[in-house]
Amino acid sequence: MQSLNEQQIDFILGDIHARGVRLESLQYDLLDHVCVLIEQQLEKEEDFEQCYEATIRAFYRQELREIEEETIFLLACRNRLTLSRNQFFVLLFTIFIGPFVSYDLVWLVTSGPTAGWNIPLHIWAPTVVYSLFPLLILLVLLLTPERLDPLIPVKSKVLLGIRPFIKIIPHFSKSQVADV
Amino acid sequence: MNYSTELIKGTLKTIILKLLADNKKMYGYEITQKVKELTLDRIQITEGALYPTLHALEADKLVTTETEYIGKRIRKYYSLSPTGKAQAREKVKELASFMDTMISLLDIKPKMT
């Protein structure tokens, strides 16, 4: 089997880097894989560059750095709860509104039978106020075009866990990348 | 018959762990070829799925790596850690149980060959 020379190996490594793969460990994995495939191909074809282009093209759908994005995503997902943007807001607002709704329910159960089931203003007013604000924010977010939402873009994923507690992955391309 | 991406994606970790359990240490290309060979080309693991999974397994300390120079380039060999060996057994057991459940659920009659 024909082995690639140092110049060709440097060219491949440089190209992998130029295509956006920055993780050194992943670069070595890809370099070795590409080299093995090319060395096999060079037994049939002679043109290295043509052979390289055809080989590297089979590694991705749109761009080679998809592999790195997928790697980073999987590493970030470890020991984390993965939520869609909408799930995240539902959770967030549940945490905000939940105590008030719970307080109302507790009041209903404990004082409802004696007070005639009419919840007094000082009990329900905070619930309404604290429900309206988050719902208003949610409405604004849902109506905001993606390009104007710098915090959590529409298709992003929110990861909850330690270090850091909240991590947002804006360009979630898992389904496109991990094409087995 | 080629299997759907979803089916293979869900079993990729198990496939890799089992292969490493059976083959001591392997490098990326070797894993893809072994899968092709064992499945008679019915399952082909792409690089885009293989390496992110291997790196995630490494981060989870289920696999360990060692490097070897092949001329100027570095070849990374992956092998199972003690935790990885236990996980491989568990994953295979889980998948076998899942397949039994699916056979029963979908009323699939096993082929007599």
Side-chain angles (χ1 to χ4, degrees):
Chain A
M1 188 187 291
Q2 187 184 333
S3 292
L4 296 180
N5 61 39
E6 289 193 6
Q7 204 182 349
Q8 289 167 327
I9 291 171
D10 285 341
F11 169 78
I12 297 171
L13 187 59
D15 189 60
I16 288 172
H17 185 269
R19 286 172 188 262
V21 178
R22 297 287 185 266
L23 294 172
E24 202 177 53
S25 168
L26 186 60
Q27 285 178 359
Y28 292 141
D29 275 328
L30 294 175
L31 173 68
D32 184 48
H33 202 124
V34 172
C35 287
V36 175
L37 289 172
I38 293 178
E39 283 169 353
Q40 288 176 345
Q41 279 298 313
L42 282 178
E43 288 180 356
K44 301 170 204 162
E45 288 179 43
E46 291 208 347
D47 185 21
F48 164 75
E49 282 187 21
Q50 218 174 355
C51 197
Y52 172 67
E53 277 307 317
T55 305
I56 199 76
R57 186 64 195 87
F59 275 51
Y60 57 88
R61 277 193 173 186
Q62 288 169 342
E63 290 175 84
L64 188 67
R65 67 185 172 88
E66 290 164 4
I67 300 178
E68 178 163 293
E69 283 175 11
E70 173 71 354
T71 304
I72 291 169
F73 177 77
L74 286 182
L75 294 178
C77 275
R78 292 167 55 242
N79 305 321
R80 282 175 179 273
L81 177 66
T82 309
L83 300 172
S84 70
R85 180 177 178 267
N86 289 348
Q87 285 172 329
F88 172 70
F89 281 118
V90 167
L91 180 69
L92 189 68
F93 295 148
T94 304
I95 290 168
F96 273 114
I97 302 167
F100 293 95
V101 175
S102 304
Y103 181 68
D104 289 359
L105 290 174
V106 169
W107 185 90
L108 270 177
V109 171
T110 54
S111 312
T114 50
W117 303 104
N118 291 320
I119 308 177
L121 180 69
H122 72 275
I123 299 293
W124 62 259
T127 310
V128 172
V129 170
Y130 278 90
S131 298
L132 282 181
F133 275 115
L135 290 174
L136 196 63
I137 293 168
L138 189 62
L139 186 69
V140 171
L141 283 168
L142 290 174
L143 296 176
T144 306
E146 193 174 356
R147 65 182 186 283
L148 297 177
D149 186 351
L151 292 178
I152 307 181
V154 174
K155 288 178 184 170
S156 63
K157 287 278 174 186
V158 182
L159 308 180
L160 297 183
I162 47 170
R163 292 186 303 166
F165 179 61
I166 294 177
K167 188 179 173 78
I168 295 159
I169 302 204
H171 301 292
F172 181 69
S173 54
K174 191 173 189 295
S175 59
Q176 295 173 352
V177 178
D179 183 30
V180 182
Chain B
M1 178 196 260
N2 285 323
Y3 303 113
S4 69
T5 302
E6 286 76 16
L7 275 179
I8 300 169
K9 238 191 248 181
T11 51
L12 187 58
K13 265 190 184 178
T14 311
I15 293 171
I16 294 172
L17 288 173
K18 175 65 178 150
L19 279 180
L20 292 177
D22 292 344
N23 295 276
K24 208 177 172 192
K25 65 172 188 177
M26 297 176 94
Y27 56 98
Y29 173 77
E30 199 180 6
I31 293 174
T32 59
Q33 294 309 298
K34 194 75 181 172
V35 171
K36 270 176 78 174
E37 180 196 322
L38 291 173
T39 62
L40 307 173
D41 280 2
R42 280 179 292 187
I43 294 179
Q44 294 188 19
I45 298 178
T46 62
E47 299 75 18
L50 175 69
Y51 290 112
T53 307
L54 280 171
H55 282 245
L57 289 171
E58 189 183 0
D60 285 334
K61 299 189 176 9
L62 296 177
V63 301
T64 54
T65 57
E66 56 185 277
T67 53
E68 187 182 300
Y69 273 91
I70 309 289
K72 203 192 173 185
R73 69 179 193 259
I74 290 172
R75 174 164 293 167
K76 265 175 74 186
Y77 282 95
Y78 293 87
S79 55
L80 287 184
S81 66
T83 327
K85 284 175 189 165
Q87 182 75 5
R89 283 193 293 273
E90 205 174 295
K91 282 271 184 193
V92 170
K93 210 169 144 185
E94 184 193 13
L95 186 60
S97 165
F98 178 73
M99 279 161 32
D100 285 344
T101 308
M102 291 308 286
I103 286 170
S104 151
L105 177 70
L106 303 176
D107 194 22
I108 300 167
K109 291 176 180 60
K111 277 184 187 173
M112 302 295 285
T113 49

